[in-house]
Amino acid sequence: MGVNSNRVEDFFSQTGNTSLTPVKVSTEIAMPAPEATTMEIHSVCMPPKKTTFQKLKHRLAEIFFPDDPLYGFKNQTWCKKLVMGVKSLFPICQWGLEYNLGLLRSDIISGLTIASLAIPQGISYAKLANLPPIIGLYSSFVPPLIYSVLGSSRHLAVGPVSIASLVMGTMLSGSVSPTNEPMLYLQLAFTATFFAGVFHASLGLLRLGFIIDFLSKATLLGFMAGAAVIVSLQQLKGLLGIVHFTNKMQLIPVLNSVCEHKNEWSWQTIVMGFGFLVFMLTARYVSTRKPDLFWVSAAAPLTSVILSTILVFCLKSKAHGISYIGHLQKGLNPPSLNMLYFNGQHLALAIKTGLITGILSLTEGIAVGRTFAALRNYQVDGNKEMMALGLMNMAGSCTSCYVTTGSFSRSAVNYNAGAQTAVSNIVLAAAVLVTLLFLMPLFYYTPNVILAAIIITAVIGLIDYHGAYKLWKVDKLDFLACMASFFGVLFISVPLGLAIAVGVSVFKILLHVTRPNTLVLGNIPRTQIYQNLHRYKEASRVPSFLILAIESPIYFANSTYLQERIIRWIREEEERINENHESALKCVIIDMTAATAIDTSGIDLLCELRKLLEKRSLQLVLVNPVGSVMEKLHQSKALESFGTSSVYLTVGEAVGDISASWKPQP
């Protein structure tokens, strides 16, 4: 046990032993007098020497290959490596060799279940994107087939989604009218889909998936909720039977349009629309309360389509106020490669739309895939998913499809229905194929109001009240980011709302980088542990020492702030000492354990701080700089100005050694 951590002088005066000059005395470990112990002072080592190429190689590997994707290829024969490479590129080869009839039974049931949801949703989401309804079905056929071969998720159900559809419809219709220039609008939609696919595939190929992490969960929660509200309000056009409706996507114009066109409201449409909306919301509630009844909510949209179509067909001579879809072309997806728009005045619009819808669809697809993978304890490779989604959308753009990704609602149904592999997507595609070839005439009298009700039922689940409340309880800054993106979507626009979401996320990162935490540490009695004084009430200050901790890398962006904050800490400590008539401040210790990196501005900060403190007769000591920091301090010759006696491995060793050096020698 060691001496009292507060006063080395008291120990010497009490023991009367002044002959212990050669040894280093611990100032922290409590021990009964008159016994003393020595403390070994450990030097702070330099990291192993590496060439610049070795450092660059290691750094790039950490940035782009944190999961070490080639680990399984080590010590394998060339034949084995080839087989593993094929399995890596085509995940279907991994589970396909072990596939059996038991798995097929589960996948057929889940595939048919999600088909009952995907078919009406596909038609509805195409209308949301201002595209012909048939495009929604095309987009539910080819993309699932491609994903089943390339995707690594067993439960992701692929197809059109509400948010990407809304954003595409909003951005394209702002410059090109889907009614006056339908062919040009369709060309731009396919082209935007192609660029979304290129964006996805590029991120996966270059392993740049971390870019989408700039959209934090908090900002996405607000964005999704705002978009869900706008989508729902836009469906009032269909629910109320309004013919002339605003194309704007802001809250106030939409509500104004609803009120201004009261004369167009159709009571037949309102009764049918709200009746089936209540039916589908009730089915959703039942499935939420009792997960075993997942099929109730899954079958509700298709049931609503069938019943409403029969009603309109039977009452078509009387229900003139109810509009319906009309003719839908039978047959497979026609090729659309010749429709891609690679030159002209609207190319920039197509690229911008593709990038924004690409970011949203990629974020949703990856998040959904990882959510269900975690429930079944398997891994989803983010980069493979990006490649799969990218190639899927690129191929889709050439086969009359628009942007598709993994849908949360369909994936949840797929999971609850017992899907075992991606074969459920193949079954989904087969069901859509049968619909395209033989069942399209049956949708002729499907009322548009049912499509609006289906969309509202689907997007209402994107409003996560519990998630927002949790943000408020846990992190007020995250809640502020959530609200900023939410109100940005509601009152400005969907694309600008997304820009606000990204801006708030980046601002939060900059805030943490430029304004890092600095703490005053104190000693916990009878230990060598030093912790935050404000967090641990039992921790006490060490006389004549100010011990600070920096909890971030030291960069050009925060060096000025850190210098000002450290000087302020010193000023406040000196004022406190004067008020309490305590021992004068002699040494400032900076614990750099959490400072994982430093640049030249950070090194200059330490040197200037040392000179400034020297003028005030204060000693500056660094504790536990990490390897890369230590190496840069050495290469910049900053360590020479500090001296070896100003760098220690632990705070305890620094306090003990420096305190012992202050004791007058005999």
Side-chain angles (χ1 to χ4, degrees), residues 111-122:
L112 293 176
T113 305
I114 58 174
S116 67
L117 180 63
I119 291 171
Q121 278 190 353

Side-chain angles (χ1 to χ4, degrees), residues 42-104:
H42 300 85
S43 61
V44 181
C45 299
M46 297 289 294
K49 288 187 177 181
K50 292 182 180 180
T51 64
T52 302
F53 176 75
Q54 289 174 325
K55 293 177 185 177
L56 179 62
K57 179 181 177 182
H58 174 75
R59 188 58 183 158
L60 291 177
E62 289 298 313
I63 293 174
F64 297 107
F65 305 99
D67 54 343
D68 192 10
L70 301 180
Y71 175 78
F73 290 80
K74 294 178 181 178
N75 303 319
Q76 301 289 343
T77 63
W78 281 106
C79 182
K80 184 70 173 177
K81 288 180 179 178
L82 180 62
V83 173
M84 293 176 66
V86 172
K87 289 183 177 180
S88 178
L89 291 174
F90 303 99
I92 191 174
C93 297
Q94 295 179 2
W95 50 264
L97 298 176
E98 302 174 358
Y99 202 72
N100 55 52
L101 290 177
L103 297 176
L104 179 62

Side-chain angles (χ1 to χ4, degrees), residues 135-201:
I135 301 296
L137 290 180
Y138 291 159
S139 302
S140 300
F141 172 53
V142 173
L145 288 176
I146 297 175
Y147 183 82
S148 64
V149 176
L150 300 176
S152 59
S153 173
R154 303 173 196 167
H155 301 98
L156 196 69
V158 171
V161 292
S162 57
I163 301 300
S165 301
L166 170 68
V167 171
M168 175 173 283
T170 303
M171 295 186 68
L172 293 182
S173 61
S175 299
V176 177
S177 172
T179 53
N180 298 332
E181 300 176 283
M183 283 304 298
L184 177 59
Y185 188 90
L186 201 58
Q187 284 181 298
L188 293 177
F190 294 152
T191 307
T193 301
F194 177 81
F195 283 113
V198 171
F199 175 69
H200 294 166

Side-chain angles (χ1 to χ4, degrees), residues 275-290:
F276 280 104
L277 178 61
V278 170
F279 166 69
M280 285 186 281
L281 290 176
T282 303
R284 179 188 179 89
Y285 176 78
V286 170
S287 297
T288 302
R289 299 288 291 181
K290 297 183 178 180

